[in-house]
């Protein structure tokens, strides 16, 4: 079928109406929910160390322009946020606070672990620093670097968008959780993998 749609007065319609002459659209609830969720993310306002400066750049510099995703307003209250960007090392003293902010955020919620320190403790292999924020909260995206540049954070956000857009719901989700659990149980423990374990 071709030709532009016209309204009552014979005026040519533009944009979506033109592409959908029949006037309705079929999709799944899963796809619709994913589309809405990925396009309405609000990050929580907080930073822990030097990585936070790069995170602030993404929200302040027009060059990076996170507002193109409607994400430039970092929320001061965790109850209005559904994305936590852990930017910087997490000290043991700060760990309960990070967990509390996460618990207070609106569900469903997602976490980006930004930088080497947040993901693994980085160069701070000592008693004061949590050796990876995934000891405290679940992480959806790990972003390497010290510090990662704002472009890298933008890339992590786009990857998270893809992940959220393809998230399964209901029985489909339950099936995937079962499969992931089964593969985790079947996986070789890390200390038995030669490259990580003792050699010889
Ligand atoms: S990864 Fe590097 S820039 Fe980020 S908090 Fe650690 S030391 Fe700072």
């Amino acid at each position: 079928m071709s030709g532009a749609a016209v309204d009552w007065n014979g005026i040519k319609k533009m944009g979506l109406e033109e592409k959908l002459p029949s006037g309705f659209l079929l999709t799944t609830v899963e796809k619709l929910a994913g589309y809405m969720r990925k396009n309405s993310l609000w990050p929580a306002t907080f930073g822990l160390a030097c990585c936070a400066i790069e995170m602030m750049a993404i929200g302040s510099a027009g060059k990076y322009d996170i507002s193109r995703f409607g994400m430039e307003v970092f929320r001061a209250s965790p109850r209005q946020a559904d994305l936590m960007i852990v930017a910087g090392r997490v000290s043991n003293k700060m760990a309960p606070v990070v967990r509390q902010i996460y618990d207070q955020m609106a569900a469903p919620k997602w976490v980006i672990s930004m930088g080497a320190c947040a993901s693994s403790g980085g160069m701070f292999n000592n008693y004061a620093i949590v050796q990876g924020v995934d000891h405290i909260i679940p992480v959806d995206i790990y972003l390497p670097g010290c510090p990662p540049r704002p472009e890298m954070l933008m890339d992590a956000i786009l990857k998270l968008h893809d992940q959220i857009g393809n998230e399964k719901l209901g029985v489909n989700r339950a099936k995937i959780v079962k499969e992931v659990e089964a593969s985790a149980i079947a996986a070789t423990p890390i200390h038995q993998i030669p490259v990580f374990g003792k050699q010889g």
Side-chain angles (χ1 to χ4, degrees):
M1 182 165 181
S2 65
V6 288
D7 68 7
W8 286 99
N9 301 317
I11 296 170
K12 204 170 137 190
K13 290 183 181 175
M14 297 180 72
L16 193 62
E17 293 97 330
E18 204 171 310
K19 299 281 177 217
L20 300 169
S22 51
F24 66 90
L25 176 71
L26 292 178
T27 185
T28 60
V29 172
E30 221 168 47
K31 283 214 164 79
L32 189 64
Y35 179 80
M36 290 190 288
R37 283 175 175 172
K38 78 174 188 175
N39 288 300
S40 58
L41 278 181
W42 277 353
T45 308
F46 83 103
L48 296 170
C50 9
C51 274
I53 302 296
E54 304 295 317
M55 181 183 71
M56 285 178 232
I58 197 177
S60 56
K63 186 171 146 195
Y64 306 117
D65 193 15
I66 200 183
S67 61
R68 77 185 84 173
F69 309 123
M71 294 172 65
E72 77 279 20
V73 186
F74 280 65
R75 308 311 298 181
S77 162
R79 297 185 198 285
Q80 296 171 353
D82 54 4
L83 171 63
M84 175 182 272
I85 302 173
V86 184
R89 55 193 167 270
V90 186
S91 65
N92 280 323
K93 199 173 175 184
M94 201 63 189
V97 181
V98 172
R99 178 71 214 196
Q100 190 174 8
I101 293 172
Y102 177 80
D103 286 340
Q104 288 179 343
M105 281 166 53
K109 46 196 161 189
W110 296 273
V111 175
I112 294 177
S113 172
M114 182 180 180
C117 290
S119 302
S120 66
M123 68 182 94
F124 302 97
N125 185 8
N126 62 44
Y127 65 87
I129 300 296
V130 177
Q131 300 298 297
V133 72
D134 51 7
H135 287 280
I136 312 166
I137 52 174
V139 172
D140 297 281
I141 299 271
Y142 294 89
L143 175 54
C146 174
R149 288 202 32 88
E151 291 90 342
M152 294 170 73
L153 180 56
M154 189 75 90
D155 183 58
I157 288 171
L158 289 173
K159 286 197 166 64
L160 183 64
H161 280 182
D162 281 350
Q163 200 172 300
I164 296 171
N166 293 314
E167 225 164 69
K168 303 290 179 208
L169 300 177
V171 283
N172 292 343
R173 187 178 179 84
K175 194 174 146 214
I176 289 205
V177 169
K178 249 189 201 161
E179 284 170 8
V180 170
E181 275 176 2
S183 76
I185 290 167
T188 309
I190 205 156
H191 65 275
Q192 286 178 12
I193 299 174
V195 70
F196 295 116
K198 284 186 182 164
Q199 310 281 326

